[in-house]
Amino acid sequence: LSALVDAWITDRVHAFTGVRSLVIEQIAAMGMAVGAEVFETVFWSGRFAQAWDRCGIEYSWHRVKRHAVKMHLCGNTRAKDPNIRQALIDRYGGKDKAIGKKKNPGPLFGMSGDCWAALAVAVTWAETELGDLPAEPPKDARVREAVERTPTPPFREEEPC
């Protein structure tokens, strides 16, 4: 399994020319009980960081806490997912320009669910560590094609004891 995950990540890195950093949302204690899903997330974030390290010294991984994302994008730690989504849409020119319509899609057209959280983490890290981002993400067809071609990472089914 380890070799499969490493190979999958290495293939993804090489598919995205110029990508040298992996940014992972850091799990933080919120003072509440957590379930198995949170522990699974912690496990896989560690595995992805480990596999990323094997890509070579020029590759780096970073963690960003949800608290930092909320403060950076919304200026308030009480922000919820809809507030973060709206902040990202505003950052890319408002709903008409950022999302657009099917006939005239914007750079965020088709985003849904956890993709918004992932974009929020990436934007927060990039703007705080690298400086300002361009107004629109690159519309590189090679990147879009690589994402569509790449299979999801392999997961092992739980075996009974």
Side-chain angles (χ1 to χ4, degrees), residues 6-17 19 48 52 143 146-153:
D6 292 346
W8 182 82
I9 289 176
T10 302
D11 289 345
R12 287 296 279 232
V13 169
H14 295 299
F16 296 102
T17 304
V19 174
F48 279 104
W52 193 265
V143 171
V147 170
E148 291 168 1
R149 277 195 323 263
T150 307
T152 57

Side-chain angles (χ1 to χ4, degrees), residues 1-98:
L1 180 65
S2 179
L4 289 173
V5 172
D6 292 346
W8 182 82
I9 289 176
T10 302
D11 289 345
R12 287 296 279 232
V13 169
H14 295 299
F16 296 102
T17 304
V19 174
R20 297 285 182 249
S21 296
L22 170 69
V23 184
I24 300 170
E25 184 174 335
Q26 182 178 350
I27 306 298
M30 306 275 260
M32 300 175 67
V34 296
E37 188 174 285
V38 172
F39 290 108
E40 191 69 9
T41 300
V42 171
F43 171 80
W44 279 104
S45 66
R47 290 290 294 123
F48 279 104
Q50 179 185 30
W52 193 265
D53 277 341
R54 292 183 182 158
C55 290
I57 194 73
E58 70 275 8
Y59 298 93
S60 60
W61 58 267
H62 312 273
R63 296 187 304 165
V64 176
K65 289 185 179 177
R66 184 80 170 157
H67 172 86
V69 172
K70 291 177 178 184
M71 284 302 296
H72 180 74
L73 295 176
C74 301
N76 186 336
T77 59
R78 292 184 179 192
K80 303 290 184 203
D81 285 345
N83 306 113
I84 292 170
R85 179 181 182 273
Q86 188 60 54
L88 289 167
I89 291 169
D90 293 345
R91 196 174 231 87
Y92 285 94
K95 188 174 182 177
D96 291 337
K97 185 176 179 188

Side-chain angles (χ1 to χ4, degrees), residues 87-134:
L88 289 167
I89 291 169
D90 293 345
R91 196 174 231 87
Y92 285 94
K95 188 174 182 177
D96 291 337
K97 185 176 179 188
I99 295 176
K101 306 260 186 227
K102 189 172 184 176
K103 289 183 180 180
N104 187 21
L108 304 181
F109 184 81
M111 294 275 293
S112 63
D114 292 336
C115 292
W116 288 104
L119 179 62
V121 169
V123 167
T124 298
W125 179 81
E127 289 181 354
T128 56
E129 297 296 321
L130 304 177
D132 291 333
L133 291 177

